């Protein structure tokens, strides 16, 4: 499949920004997730984030918490999400990034996880409760087997943190737009621009912005400041309401 | 075996392989600021004097080390001393940490504190500290815990705190911590999170230990004065593990037998317990690496204990480290054993212990009867039982 870095390179050449939707794997079922991936790809998604459900999602707001509960109630585990990716790979080459809390990966075995993820075609991993300082093993294996490690920066990040996170991230850098949890209200202020320029000062890696981006308008506003836009809770909410996510993806893709 | 002489935690908050900092990046600068401020204030004479004054005149320290003569005679073995943390202002050892941290929050210029609570003791202690130093306060508490500790919920509100119900997950302590961490991630710029135990991301395990170490420092002096020698055994209950570390850490160099008592709930075989060492495995949860009750896929299991304060899926990282070093032994007491000890101490000594502390009393009875009469045990009576009276009556089927 396509490498994340190449996706950004091509988009940059075309003067476009990456659209990265997030969905919770197994919400409401793994079969549905497979269908949603196809719909998002048809709608113009460039990379898709697949959430792995966890019992204690401390970085997530109510929308994704509930999606996680629904997926867990279906018996969805990291193992099953990996099997789902293998299945999706029969039909699609779109880069898939797993967003998971650290403990399921730790329990699976860090090397075993990275090896299996790469074997079945996962492009990268985002772990919101793992900072680079604690990720020595993961980064080592990810380099060895070829998995992108996407770390996060936030409006509170100091220059020292920016340097550490930028250096450890591959694929792209995830900039959390707000001090808060997923699905909270987006605030466009000067902190975002100043932190983003700080990131750009220390790294030439692509930066995608996520958290609180709930509409095509907001996506358009933040896209101007970065290389990609991540939309999570809004997509998860549409799914829970049985609405058309392909149309939403198109609407976002058109304006970024 | 790991060398014991090493100072723990290391500069990154690791106790051997345990501990560390596993939280969202948003919180990292706040943790660094907390670590720096705490390091400075630890050596700041004015701060320490202020803290000492509050310990003496507000908390009521030093707390007595009481020789439980009646209980000793009833058991017929080692002499049993009780470290009376139940006599602290607000009724438990939790205030030692809460006063330290609210004072610290004020020094950092924060205007608001938040905390999680299980049994309600830490919530009450934080609300008290916030009222004292003048900070806005919000306490997160699981729905189930609010029910079984309704008295403490009302106390917190009397103290001016907002108590927010957490109806998600298992509706107990761990879910309250998730919600507190979410709040902190959102309001980190003006809010300090007063974590209630030796758990979570660095520097909390070390900082809370330091604030609680006053228990052991006092007890060591007191027993030398009373008996002219050190005790043979120390016993304390272990939820997150702050009252036990607080007592134990002053005796670590003395190579004394130390026993941490976890919540055995309905028994280990039942799966309904909170005995992390008996039933858990290595994992990463709510900020640190430690022993964790989890399933094969790394999801955190529900726990059960009659005592809300011990009803938690993980345990302070330093406990894991000290267990590996064989410096502390860990065992558990079941709900039934704790309830029996609750009655026993009430009737023999006229002291009603918190259900948490009753776990330590239950183990003390087992250990003391096998020891000679000139041996000495110190038990940390970490809290008083008033808060549990309603719940115990309910369990006994008595309508109040």
């Amino acid at each position: 499949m396509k490498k994340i870095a190449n996706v950004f390179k091509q988009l940059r050449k075309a003067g476009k920004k990456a659209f990265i939707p997030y969905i919770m794997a197994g919400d409401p079922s793994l079969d549905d997730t497979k269908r949603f991936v196809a719909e998002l790809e048809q709608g113009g998604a460039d990379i898709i984030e697949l959430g792995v459900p966890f019992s204690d999602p401390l970085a997530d707001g109510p929308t994704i918490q509930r999606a996680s509960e629904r997926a867990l109630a279906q018996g969805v585990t990291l193992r099953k999400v990996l099997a789902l990716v293998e299945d999706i790979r029969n039909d699609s080459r779109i880069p898939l990034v797993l967003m998971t809390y650290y403990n399921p990966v730790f329990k699976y075995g860090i090397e075993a996880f990275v090896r299996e993820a790469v074997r079945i075609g996962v492009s990268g991993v985002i772990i919101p409760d793992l900072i680079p300082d604690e990720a020595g093993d993961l980064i080592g294996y990810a380099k060895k087997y070829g998995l992108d490690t996407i770390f996060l920066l936030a409006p509170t990040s100091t220059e020292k943190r920016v340097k550490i996170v930028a250096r450890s991230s591959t694929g792209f850098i995830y900039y959390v737009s707000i001090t808060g949890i997923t699905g909270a209200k987006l605030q466009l202020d000067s902190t975002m621009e100043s932190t983003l320029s700080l990131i750009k000062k220390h790294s030439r890696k692509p930066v995608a912005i996520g958290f609180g981006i709930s509409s095509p308008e907001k996506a358009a506003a933040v896209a101007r400041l970065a290389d990609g836009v991540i939309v999570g809770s809004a997509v998860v909410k549409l799914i829970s309401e049985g609405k058309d996510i392909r149309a939403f993806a198109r609407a976002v893709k058109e304006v970024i | 075996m790991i060398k014991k002489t090493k100072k723990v935690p290391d500069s990154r908050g690791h106790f051997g392989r345990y501990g560390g900092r596993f939280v969202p990046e948003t919180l990292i600068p706040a943790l660094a600021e907390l670590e720096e401020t705490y390091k400075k204030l630890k050596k700041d004479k004015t701060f320490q004097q202020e803290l000492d004054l509050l310990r003496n005149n507000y908390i009521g320290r030093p707390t007595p080390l009481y020789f439980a003569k009646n209980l000793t005679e009833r058991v017929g073995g080692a002499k049993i001393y009780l470290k009376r943390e139940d006599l602290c202002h607000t009724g438990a050892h939790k205030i030692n940490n809460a006063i330290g941290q609210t004072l610290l929050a004020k020094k950092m210029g924060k205007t608001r504190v938040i905390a999680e609570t299980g049994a309600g003791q830490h919530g009450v202690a934080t609300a008290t500290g916030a009222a004292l130093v003048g900070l806005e306060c919000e306490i997160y508490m699981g729905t189930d815990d609010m029910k079984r500790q309704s008295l403490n919920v009302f106390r917190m509100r009397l103290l001016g705190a907002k108590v927010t119900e957490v109806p998600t997950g298992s509706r107990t302590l761990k879910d309250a911590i998730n919600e507190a961490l979410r709040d902190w991630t959102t309001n980190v710029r003006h809010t300090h999170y007063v974590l209630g135990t030796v758990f979570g991301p660095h520097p909390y395990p070390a900082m809370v230990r330091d604030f609680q170490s006053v228990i052991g420092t006092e007890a060591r002096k007191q027993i030398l004065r009373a008996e002219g020698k050190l005790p043979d055994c120390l016993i304390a209950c272990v939820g997150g593990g702050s009252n036990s570390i607080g007592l134990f850490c002053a005796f670590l160099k003395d190579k004394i037998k130390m026993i941490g008592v976890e919540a055995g709930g309905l028994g280990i075989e039942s799966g309904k317990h909170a005995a992390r060492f008996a039933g858990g495995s290595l994992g990463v949860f709510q900020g640190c690496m430690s022993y964790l009750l989890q399933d094969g896929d790394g999801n955190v299991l529900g726990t059960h204990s009659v005592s809300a304060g011990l009803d938690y899926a993980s345990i302070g990282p330093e406990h894991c480290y000290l267990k590996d070093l064989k410096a502390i032994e860990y065992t558990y007491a079941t709900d039934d054993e704790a309830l029996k000890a609750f009655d026993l101490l009430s009737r023999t000594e006229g002291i009603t212990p918190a259900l948490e502390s009753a776990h330590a009393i239950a183990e003390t009875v087992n250990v003391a009867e096998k020891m000679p009469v000139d041996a000495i045990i110190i038990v940390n009576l970490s809290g008083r039982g008033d808060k549990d009276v309603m719940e115990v009556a309910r369990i006994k089927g008595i309508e109040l």
Side-chain angles (χ1 to χ4, degrees):
Chain A
M1 71 250 89
K2 291 185 273 187
K3 290 213 61 110
I4 291 172
N6 292 339
V7 170
F8 279 101
K9 221 177 271 169
Q10 282 168 5
L11 286 166
R12 199 174 277 184
K13 255 187 231 160
K16 299 237 177 209
K17 306 294 168 78
F19 171 47
I20 310 172
Y22 165 103
I23 52 175
M24 174 61 72
D27 170 36
S29 75
L30 289 168
D31 284 342
D32 287 314
T33 304
K34 193 180 171 189
R35 178 164 57 85
F36 295 147
V37 166
E39 288 176 9
L40 290 168
E41 190 175 4
Q42 289 155 17
D46 299 291
I47 296 166
I48 294 172
E49 269 184 39
L50 279 181
V52 177
F54 179 53
S55 55
D56 295 85
L58 58 82
D60 285 303
T63 303
I64 292 178
Q65 282 178 47
R66 280 196 292 268
S68 182
E69 279 172 18
R70 288 192 293 268
L72 285 175
Q74 299 293 312
V76 176
T77 60
L78 177 58
R79 227 166 272 280
K80 288 188 182 168
V81 177
L82 288 168
L84 169 73
V85 172
E86 192 166 23
D87 187 23
I88 291 171
R89 279 289 163 254
N90 295 324
D91 309 312
S92 168
R93 296 181 65 231
I94 190 165
L96 294 169
V97 173
L98 294 191
M99 183 146 180
T100 172
Y101 286 87
Y102 188 43
N103 199 52
V105 171
F106 183 75
K107 186 74 183 171
Y108 191 103
I110 300 167
E111 183 172 13
F113 165 76
V114 173
R115 201 174 42 215
E116 179 66 3
V118 171
R119 185 187 71 78
I120 61 169
V122 171
S123 303
V125 63
I126 303 169
I127 306 180
D129 59 346
L130 184 69
I131 58 171
D133 318 53
E134 298 282 0
D137 288 350
L138 180 82
I139 291 170
Y141 292 125
K143 263 197 193 125
K144 180 176 165 191
Y145 294 102
L147 183 72
D148 281 332
T149 50
I150 297 141
F151 290 100
L152 299 92
L153 281 166
T156 53
S157 297
T158 56
E159 186 155 16
K160 191 177 158 199
R161 295 304 307 166
V162 169
K163 279 189 202 166
I164 293 171
V165 170
R167 192 173 53 227
S168 314
S169 296
T170 54
F172 66 92
I173 297 164
Y174 192 136
Y175 180 68
V176 177
S177 64
I178 46 163
T179 51
I181 50 178
T182 58
K185 200 164 179 282
L186 180 69
Q187 280 161 337
L188 287 170
D189 56 21
S190 56
T191 317
M192 188 185 290
E193 285 187 47
S194 62
T195 315
L196 284 167
S197 59
L198 199 59
I199 300 171
K200 290 290 178 193
K201 184 181 139 194
H202 290 287
S203 172
R204 296 180 62 194
K205 290 168 188 167
V207 178
I209 303 180
F211 281 42
I213 299 162
S214 54
S215 64
E217 296 73 43
K218 284 181 180 161
V222 299
R224 280 195 289 277
L225 304 168
D227 307 290
V229 179
I230 302 159
V231 181
S233 297
V235 178
V236 171
K237 195 157 170 279
L238 287 174
I239 287 174
S240 72
E241 291 164 353
K243 291 189 180 144
D244 184 3
I245 55 171
R246 185 170 17 202
F248 179 82
R250 271 200 196 110
V252 175
K253 189 63 190 172
E254 251 166 44
V255 293
I256 66 171
Chain B
M1 207 165 105
I2 314 157
K3 263 214 178 134
K4 197 176 169 176
T5 47
K6 254 193 318 193
K7 196 174 164 281
V8 288
D10 66 13
S11 62
R12 286 165 57 227
H14 292 122
F15 301 84
R17 68 201 293 209
Y18 310 103
R21 214 172 245 178
F22 295 87
V23 288
E25 184 68 38
T26 310
L27 294 176
I28 299 300
L31 289 166
E33 183 202 3
L34 179 63
E35 186 187 356
E36 278 311 303
T37 311
Y38 176 62
K39 223 190 270 173
K40 250 184 249 156
L41 291 179
K42 211 173 154 178
K43 289 182 209 138
D44 183 305
K45 275 206 181 120
T46 331
F47 179 79
Q48 290 303 331
Q49 276 167 2
E50 205 174 331
L51 192 58
D52 280 343
L53 209 62
L54 286 173
R55 278 175 176 160
N56 297 339
N57 304 333
Y58 188 76
I59 298 177
R61 305 207 70 89
T63 58
L65 183 71
Y66 167 72
F67 173 49
K69 188 164 167 276
N70 299 339
L71 180 65
T72 301
E73 279 169 9
R74 169 68 76 92
V75 176
K79 293 174 89 169
I80 301 167
Y81 279 84
L82 306 177
K83 180 61 175 163
R84 297 291 307 274
E85 292 302 297
D86 61 319
L87 293 178
C88 288
H89 178 44
T90 71
H93 72 290
K94 291 289 184 189
I95 192 82
N96 299 325
N97 168 50
I99 290 291
Q101 283 200 49
T102 42
L103 214 54
L104 191 73
K106 192 81 178 173
K107 301 276 177 213
M108 287 194 295
K110 306 283 179 183
T111 56
R112 177 175 178 263
V113 287
I114 54 168
E116 82 293 344
T117 197
Q121 288 305 116
H122 176 56
V124 167
T126 304
T128 300
L132 178 70
V133 306
L135 293 166
E136 190 191 330
C137 179
E138 183 164 357
I139 307 293
Y140 290 95
M141 192 169 187
T143 308
D144 289 5
D145 289 340
M146 281 179 82
K147 259 187 223 146
R148 54 181 167 173
Q149 303 289 350
S150 55
L151 189 69
N152 273 341
V153 174
F154 186 62
R155 284 174 78 195
M156 287 183 264
R157 289 180 175 149
L158 277 176
L159 291 160
K162 181 179 175 196
V163 182
T164 300
E165 178 179 347
V166 182
T168 50
S170 62
R171 300 181 297 273
T172 58
L173 183 56
K174 83 173 172 76
D175 311 285
I177 295 179
N178 285 336
E179 210 50 39
L181 282 167
R182 290 180 189 122
D183 179 316
W184 200 31
T185 307
T186 308
N187 300 301
V188 61
R189 288 195 169 98
H190 66 280
T191 296
H192 171 66
Y193 178 18
V194 183
L195 215 153
T197 191
V198 287
F199 197 74
H202 179 60
Y204 285 104
M207 182 175 72
V208 177
R209 174 197 65 196
D210 293 352
F211 283 136
Q212 293 293 1
S213 65
V214 65
I215 303 172
T217 310
E218 284 175 10
R220 199 170 188 283
K221 275 186 210 149
Q222 288 166 321
I223 198 69
L224 287 172
R225 208 181 306 136
E227 292 282 350
K229 60 174 184 174
L230 288 169
D232 300 279
C233 179
L234 305 173
I235 300 175
C237 65
V238 188
S242 71
N243 90 76
S244 50
I245 284 276
L247 174 65
F248 295 167
C249 66
F251 295 88
L252 276 173
K253 285 190 187 130
D254 302 318
K255 306 223 158 118
I256 286 170
K257 185 181 173 79
M258 300 183 196
I259 305 171
V261 187
E262 298 185 276
L266 304 179
I268 304 304
E269 325 71 47
S270 73
K272 293 189 160 75
H273 62 85
R276 291 68 46 103
F277 286 131
S281 56
L282 194 62
V284 174
F285 184 53
Q286 292 182 334
C288 62
M289 185 170 293
S290 184
Y291 270 75
L292 177 64
L293 292 169
Q294 58 183 325
D295 66 16
D297 296 299
N299 285 303
V300 180
L301 290 172
T303 51
H304 166 83
S305 169
V306 68
S307 72
L310 302 183
D311 200 352
Y312 185 59
S314 191
I315 182 168
E318 190 166 11
H319 282 281
C320 304
Y321 177 73
L322 292 170
K323 181 180 187 286
D324 286 356
L325 291 176
K326 299 188 171 29
I328 304 178
E329 295 168 28
Y330 293 85
T331 181
Y332 59 87
T334 61
D335 285 358
D336 285 346
E337 289 164 335
L339 286 164
K340 267 185 207 138
F342 183 84
D343 284 354
L344 177 68
L345 195 67
S346 298
R347 290 180 186 206
T348 54
E349 295 290 349
I351 298 170
T352 302
L355 279 174
E356 290 77 14
S357 322
H359 286 72
I361 300 292
E363 176 62 14
T364 302
V365 172
N366 294 337
V367 173
E369 64 186 7
K370 291 175 206 126
M371 289 172 87
V373 291
D374 59 345
I376 299 165
I377 298 176
I378 297 179
V379 193
N380 199 5
L381 196 66
S382 55
R384 69 179 183 219
D386 307 42
K387 69 178 175 64
D388 296 312
V389 169
M390 298 272 280
E391 180 68 5
V392 171
R394 193 191 63 75
I395 291 166
K396 290 184 174 178
I398 299 165
E399 213 168 305
L400 294 180

